[in-house]
Amino acid sequence: FFTRSCEFGAGDQAVWNTVHVGSSGVPKSHCGRTKTIPGSPMISIDSVPIVREKPFISVDSSGKYTLNVPEVRINSTGTSWASGSEKLDTRDFSKIYVTKPSDTADTINQMLFMGLDVVVSPGIYNLTDSLKVQKEDQVILGLGMATLVSSTGKPCIEVSDVDGVTIAGLMLGAGTVKSPSLLKWGTGNFKGDRANPGFIHDVFVRVGGTNDVNVNEVSTELMIDLQNGNIIGDNLWLWRADHDQSGQVYGGANPCSTGLNVDGDDVIMYGLFVEHTLKNLVTWNGERGRTYFYQSELPYDATTAYGTSGYASYVVNEDVKDHDAWGVGVYSYFRDYDV
């Protein structure tokens, strides 16, 4: 259980892995149930080092719509809006493109190239090319679990070497042509800006689940590949499906090696969930990485070779000198083989 930037009246119970970051009214960290402390272990971190809340749409009494992009907050506690003084970058919808489910990647990319923000309407978009984000501070905001599917083996979204980009509210899906990743961020040559980082809010990635593996498999090498620095993930669930339309998935079908790869420095994750990939679930090569709450389930259909190959859920490169993680929970259900 994970909270960030919340305000509670009171609370003292927990189940398994509970982490609070920058939330008020929560208990202090403790190691578990004692005579004086009820509940299971809990981690409470006083402040959020850096965050910007997810963009949102508002409508006024005249029917005018606005896209609101909250400000970046440093070392914050509690909500950004309760005081009524939250600073917002308000963007008129004359500068925003609202997609139609029939839109192609070319149509959406034309709007992104013009510098417009994009609101993705509910629907399933089978993309023949990546959506290319090349402008500083651009926003792609999905509504109603809008789903982008890679149809030709390209990432659903590619972000260039620019600051302040926000990708939010989307489902990304693997296609029948294997892709290198489904979200690729940067070239590896861009440090980013701590004062204006990139943000990934409420993005869910799945490899399989909607297909029948007996008819066609889907695959990707990586789900999310973060090459640049100063990127913040806020509630990411990366899932290789353990079941699809045909029932349970066996034998490494719908293959995906790794859920998250981080090569950039100063990357932060708030609420990271990665499940069932066939190699290391997370690989972290950048310096000063931080993860606040991690939930992971190893693949059900792993063979004995999974264990002997030395794969693990959360792998920090041995050359990394500075990395911290709080509330790391990994568990296994090796359904098909002795591992």
Side-chain angles (χ1 to χ4, degrees):
F1 187 80
F2 177 71
T3 74
R4 178 189 59 72
S5 308
C6 295
E7 298 178 11
F8 293 90
D12 60 10
Q13 298 297 317
V15 177
W16 302 318
N17 185 20
T18 298
V19 178
H20 303 287
V21 182
S23 294
S24 62
V26 299
K28 296 294 184 181
S29 296
H30 61 79
C31 295
R33 194 174 284 113
T34 69
K35 291 181 179 179
T36 58
I37 301 176
S40 297
M42 181 176 298
I43 296 172
S44 297
I45 297 165
D46 290 340
S47 62
V48 182
I50 182 168
V51 74
R52 184 177 66 207
E53 298 300 336
K54 179 180 174 180
F56 63 94
I57 297 168
S58 61
V59 57
D60 65 16
S61 58
S62 68
K64 179 183 177 182
Y65 285 82
T66 301
L67 178 65
N68 303 276
V69 181
E71 67 174 343
V72 172
R73 297 193 297 158
I74 305 294
N75 296 326
S76 62
T77 301
T79 66
S80 61
W81 46 266
S83 66
S85 60
E86 182 179 25
K87 295 180 180 179
L88 300 171
D89 174 8
T90 57
R91 304 184 184 183
D92 189 86
F93 261 65
S94 63
K95 298 180 180 179
I96 295 165
Y97 179 68
V98 180
T99 70
K100 301 180 290 294
S102 59
D103 282 350
T104 64
D106 287 345
T107 298
I108 299 172
N109 276 331
Q110 288 177 22
M111 303 303 168
L112 289 168
F113 183 76
M114 292 167 58
L116 274 64
D117 297 316
V118 171
V119 172
V120 186
S121 299
I124 299 174
Y125 298 76
N126 291 292
L127 302 177
T128 57
D129 198 1
S130 304
L131 301 186
K132 297 179 173 63
V133 183
Q134 300 172 322
K135 309 292 184 181
E136 186 170 311
D137 298 327
Q138 256 181 330
V139 172
I140 297 182
L141 174 63
L143 301 179
M145 298 299 289
T147 301
L148 310 180
V149 178
S150 170
S151 294
T152 58
K154 298 180 180 179
C156 298
I157 300 174
E158 291 185 347
V159 180
S160 296
D161 294 345
V162 291
D163 290 317
V165 167
T166 298
I167 307 297
L170 292 169
M171 176 85 78
L172 307 181
T176 55
V177 180
K178 185 176 182 179
S179 55
S181 63
L182 296 174
L183 170 57
K184 181 178 184 295
W185 199 301
T187 62
N189 299 311
F190 190 72
K191 293 182 179 180
D193 183 356
R194 186 174 189 268
N196 190 23
F199 283 89
I200 312 169
H201 297 279
D202 299 338
V203 169
F204 312 117
V205 185
R206 64 184 177 192
V207 182
T210 61
N211 64 315
D212 181 340
V213 73
N214 298 309
V215 178
N216 52 48
E217 284 192 278
V218 299
S219 64
T220 185
E221 181 64 22
L222 306 172
M223 296 191 207
I224 294 181
D225 186 18
L226 303 181
Q227 295 287 314
N228 287 353
N230 283 288
I231 302 168
I232 296 175
D234 184 31
N235 188 30
L236 308 183
W237 183 47
L238 316 180
W239 181 63
R240 173 181 164 260
D242 56 281
H243 57 273
D244 63 14
Q245 291 187 16
S246 65
Q248 294 182 336
V249 171
Y250 295 93
N254 296 328
C256 173
S257 292
T258 298
L260 174 67
N261 177 71
V262 179
D263 286 342
D265 296 337
D266 304 295
V267 171
I268 298 175
M269 291 287 141
Y270 301 115
L272 173 62
F273 308 77
V274 187
E275 297 188 320
H276 308 153
T277 69
L278 297 174
K279 294 184 179 179
N280 296 324
L281 281 77
V282 170
T283 54
W284 207 300
N285 303 306
E287 289 288 353
R288 296 176 298 280
R290 302 289 184 265
T291 295
Y292 299 86
F293 186 89
Y294 177 69
Q295 181 271 327
S296 178
E297 186 174 63
L298 300 175
Y300 294 176
D301 53 342
T303 66
T304 302
Y306 184 84
T308 57
S309 297
Y311 295 128
S313 177
Y314 192 100
V315 178
V316 179
N317 190 297
E318 62 182 11
D319 293 328
V320 170
K321 296 179 175 60
D322 184 351
H323 186 96
D324 288 310
W326 293 262
V328 175
V330 180
Y331 53 99
S332 64
Y333 168 43
F334 294 128
R335 183 190 61 199
D336 300 334
Y337 304 95
D338 292 329
V339 178

